[in-house]
Amino acid sequence: MYYLSTRGNKEKVTASQAIINGLSADGGLYVPSKFPDLREEIKNLYTLDYCNLAFYILNKFLVDFSEDELKSCINMAYDNKFDSTEITPLKKINNNYFLELYHGPTLAFKDIALTLLPHLLNTSIKKNNIDKNILILTATSGDTGKAALEGFKNIDSIKIAVFFPEYGVSPIQKLQMKTQDGSNVFVAGIKGNFDDAQSSVKEIFSDNDYNKILNKKGFMLSSANSINIGRLLPQIVYYFYSYFNLVNNKEITLFDKVNFVVPTGNFGDILAGYYAKEMGLPINKLICASNENNVLYDFFKTGEYNINRDLKLTTSPSMDILISSNLERLLFEISNRDCDIINKLMYDLNNKGYYKISNNMKDNLDTFIGYYATDDNVAETINHVFKKYNYLIDTHTAVAYYCLEKYKNKTQDRSKSIILSTASPYKFSKDVLVSLGYISDNLDDFEIINKLSLITNTNVPSPISSLKNKSIFHENLYESFELKSALKNYLGI
Ligand SMILES: *Cc1c(COP(=O)(O)O)cnc(C)c1O
């Protein structure tokens, strides 16, 4: 098992090198040389607890990690930072299954990978005798930033810089980042949207001159975004884990097929589901749930990916994205790993803002189906699910729920479906409160949170209630073209 680039520069790297580099030098994304086949082994796996299952799966991919190294990383990640011993509990509500991925320290699904990645990276640095300081460069649509900051804070020889769109994240997400402590963290808002932030960060990665300067001064870039394969692989685990949960609870029989509904932005989470399917997990459909930034919905329908449209700010800000980076990894698979095709498509995307895939490639997309929800659909869904089932969901999860209902109405498919619940409703408390029919005018963020708690009789998660007493450490605001100089200032070079 080794890792290669989707854009095909013949480079073969180990897992630890792929994790350190983040992005391949040719601008492509690292992918595993093949998918481990678990079809024969699945029947031995369904009783494993989360950590053991994570070890079993990741050990197939991270082959240059020793078993002890990997176990130690996993045990450091999935401990009492999570407020559920199951790490990713599955809740049955009426006839739906919600996979709650928000029980980690920052209350979004990003924690599953970002509690582990720092340990994987630290081990990789030692393994490869890297003598430079690593600078983790991260663009965030709201949740990655905080999860990465918590994961990487105060780790020796690593620094982390996070850029978020000043007007594109929820008030709580912003507060979480601005109050971040740690001796090695840099946090800044940028004037622009997430695509601007992500493009600026990617541009820094591919700026050779800038990287040479950094190297001379003893720094080297890496990424905590889902372009890093070390972010993606840990997300495969909960697809298996939740499937096995259904088996253990006799909701399905082993080898029955299920659907997963995934609220999608950068296409990282749902791609991990595709990888799980390639490994033999019995998946019927992966339902790609978008908000009104529905590029992916159009793509699955027509085979054309077109970003020539305005990015909308919605109530599900972590999905306010037009350029879904990880789609490149899917294109690689559905083109039967043809790098020439990928280079051509990515060239078109950069230069014309769109590309169209061939019919052959489109035929390989039949695992996927896309739907989308408007902000109104989201509000009605939150209201409906709470009133009917007394279960509170966040705006992103509501996008998924709505899309699943649509899928069920439009098809005869009655397979069981698992909804990926990607964030705590308290991260988006204002929109959730308003969805429930209350007025939030004149209330500050914490009054909104308390009101939500009172009305719904649910507890405010402690990472949110504790924000109230924290000081603001970061007030930086930059134009996206100022990032390079801002970073140099921060590093003192
Ligand atoms: C990041 C995020 C998503 C989208 O995940 P991708 O891997 O970017 O597709 C959905 N919901 C929430 C709450 C998120 O933070």
Side-chain angles (χ1 to χ4, degrees):
M1 171 78 77
Y2 58 90
Y3 291 80
L4 61 153
S5 163
T6 49
R7 299 195 194 171
N9 65 355
K10 303 281 184 290
E11 164 197 39
K12 289 180 182 177
V13 301
T14 61
S16 63
Q17 286 165 339
I19 289 171
I20 294 171
N21 295 348
L23 203 63
S24 163
D26 63 5
L29 306 186
Y30 287 114
V31 287
S33 54
K34 61 176 186 309
F35 292 107
D37 188 346
L38 300 189
R39 266 160 266 254
E40 292 294 313
E41 299 153 46
I42 256 182
K43 57 185 181 309
N44 308 322
L45 301 180
Y46 65 93
T47 54
L48 295 180
D49 68 10
Y50 197 89
C51 284
N52 282 311
L53 183 62
F55 172 75
Y56 192 91
I57 290 173
L58 294 174
N59 194 33
K60 303 262 179 198
F61 286 101
L62 305 177
V63 291
D64 67 328
F65 284 61
S66 73
E67 296 200 348
D68 283 347
E69 282 170 341
L70 184 55
K71 275 188 186 144
S72 146
C73 290
I74 289 171
N75 290 336
M76 282 190 280
Y78 304 133
D79 59 8
N80 57 12
K81 284 193 284 304
F82 286 79
D83 71 6
S84 162
T85 50
E86 288 186 272
I87 309 299
T88 62
L90 188 74
K91 296 266 166 74
K92 183 174 186 186
I93 306 290
N94 191 31
N95 278 322
N96 286 308
Y97 305 93
F98 290 86
L99 176 57
E100 294 185 351
L101 299 172
Y102 54 80
H103 288 271
T106 76
L107 309 174
F109 94 88
K110 308 293 198 296
D111 282 328
I112 311 293
L114 282 166
T115 49
L116 182 58
L117 181 63
H119 303 296
L120 297 179
L121 182 61
N122 223 355
T123 310
S124 302
I125 292 170
K126 290 190 189 131
K127 206 178 261 315
N128 290 277
N129 301 317
I130 304 282
D131 58 359
K132 298 211 166 26
N133 286 302
I134 302 276
L135 172 63
I136 303 280
L137 211 52
T138 303
T140 181
S141 58
D143 289 324
T144 294
K146 179 62 183 178
L149 287 163
E150 276 303 307
F152 283 104
K153 75 174 176 192
N154 300 329
I155 295 192
D156 289 349
S157 76
I158 297 182
K159 288 185 187 298
I160 170 158
V162 166
F163 298 101
F164 64 87
E166 178 72 15
Y167 309 110
V169 298
S170 84
I172 296 297
Q173 288 178 315
K174 194 182 286 188
L175 202 57
Q176 279 185 308
M177 288 186 275
K178 288 189 159 192
T179 55
Q180 180 66 46
D181 58 343
S183 56
N184 60 341
V185 305
F186 179 78
V187 179
I190 70 150
K191 296 178 195 162
N193 58 38
F194 172 72
D195 285 329
D196 298 323
Q198 178 160 260
S199 303
S200 312
V201 162
K202 274 192 174 171
E203 206 270 310
I204 297 179
F205 272 101
S206 55
D207 181 337
N208 286 334
D209 294 337
Y210 190 78
N211 278 275
K212 272 193 199 132
I213 298 173
L214 289 182
N215 285 344
K216 252 198 217 131
K217 303 285 180 180
F219 292 99
M220 171 178 175
L221 294 179
S222 186
S223 167
N225 283 106
S226 53
I227 52 176
N228 193 319
I229 193 77
R231 258 288 298 279
L232 205 56
L233 301 177
Q235 295 175 177
I236 297 171
V237 177
Y238 49 72
Y239 283 90
F240 280 88
Y241 188 72
S242 56
Y243 180 89
F244 292 150
N245 184 308
L246 290 184
V247 174
N248 288 320
N249 286 310
K250 310 230 170 351
E251 301 285 332
I252 57 170
T253 319
L254 196 62
F255 301 116
D256 284 353
K257 285 191 173 179
V258 304
N259 303 317
F260 286 91
V261 197
V262 190
T264 301
N266 225 353
F267 211 76
D269 203 3
I270 195 167
L271 187 76
Y274 180 76
Y275 279 20
K277 182 169 182 184
E278 292 296 296
M279 294 165 72
L281 188 68
I283 292 179
N284 178 34
K285 289 282 181 205
L286 289 165
I287 302 170
C288 177
S290 299
N291 64 23
E292 278 171 90
N293 295 297
N294 53 5
V295 228
L296 288 165
Y297 164 79
D298 290 342
F299 172 69
F300 288 121
K301 218 168 70 173
T302 65
E304 180 172 287
Y305 193 86
N306 192 334
I307 60 167
N308 293 316
R309 58 180 93 191
D310 290 331
L311 185 85
K312 293 186 187 147
L313 298 182
T314 71
T315 56
S316 43
S318 304
M319 294 154 58
D320 289 346
I321 297 175
L322 293 180
I323 307 172
S324 297
S325 294
N326 275 294
L327 194 63
E328 182 170 340
R329 287 188 167 112
L330 179 65
L331 296 172
F332 185 69
E333 300 306 331
I334 61 170
S335 67
N336 297 320
R337 304 197 148 203
D338 186 329
C339 302
D340 293 339
I341 294 182
I342 303 305
N343 279 305
K344 163 95 177 52
L345 296 177
M346 292 302 122
Y347 179 88
D348 285 351
L349 185 63
N350 284 333
N351 291 286
K352 296 191 271 188
Y354 70 88
Y355 59 75
K356 193 165 171 66
I357 59 171
S358 66
N359 287 339
N360 281 345
M361 282 173 78
K362 195 162 183 293
D363 289 343
N364 291 337
L365 279 181
D366 58 346
T367 300
F368 291 89
I369 184 161
Y371 289 98
Y372 72 96
T374 65
D375 280 358
D376 285 345
N377 300 147
V378 165
E380 282 156 21
T381 301
I382 292 172
N383 194 307
H384 167 80
V385 172
F386 185 72
K387 298 265 156 72
K388 199 141 185 216
Y389 310 117
N390 197 31
Y391 182 66
L392 193 63
I393 57 175
D394 94 293
T395 45
H396 304 76
T397 308
V399 169
Y401 185 96
Y402 178 85
C403 292
L404 176 58
E405 290 297 299
K406 241 187 155 160
Y407 173 75
K408 283 190 197 156
N409 286 339
K410 292 229 160 128
T411 65
Q412 298 307 313
D413 181 13
R414 291 295 169 261
S415 334
K416 306 266 174 175
S417 299
I418 294 176
I419 298 166
L420 273 63
S421 296
T422 47
S424 156
Y426 280 92
K427 282 194 111 166
F428 308 94
S429 24
K430 184 172 179 199
D431 289 316
V432 172
L433 186 70
V434 172
S435 303
L436 296 176
Y438 294 88
I439 293 169
S440 68
D441 298 1
N442 304 323
L443 299 182
D444 73 22
D445 294 333
F446 290 98
E447 287 166 339
I448 289 175
I449 285 163
N450 289 336
K451 189 163 173 177
L452 185 62
S453 169
L454 212 65
I455 288 163
T456 60
N457 198 20
T458 55
N459 293 326
V460 183
S462 63
I464 286 197
S465 52
S466 66
L467 281 178
K468 195 168 180 172
N469 303 317
K470 291 200 171 153
S471 322
I472 304 263
F473 295 121
H474 311 279
E475 301 260 36
N476 304 309
L477 181 59
Y478 297 105
E479 300 283 352
S480 46
F481 60 81
E482 293 175 315
L483 300 194
K484 286 182 193 170
S485 57
L487 277 175
K488 277 190 178 171
N489 277 342
Y490 165 60
L491 299 173
I493 60 174

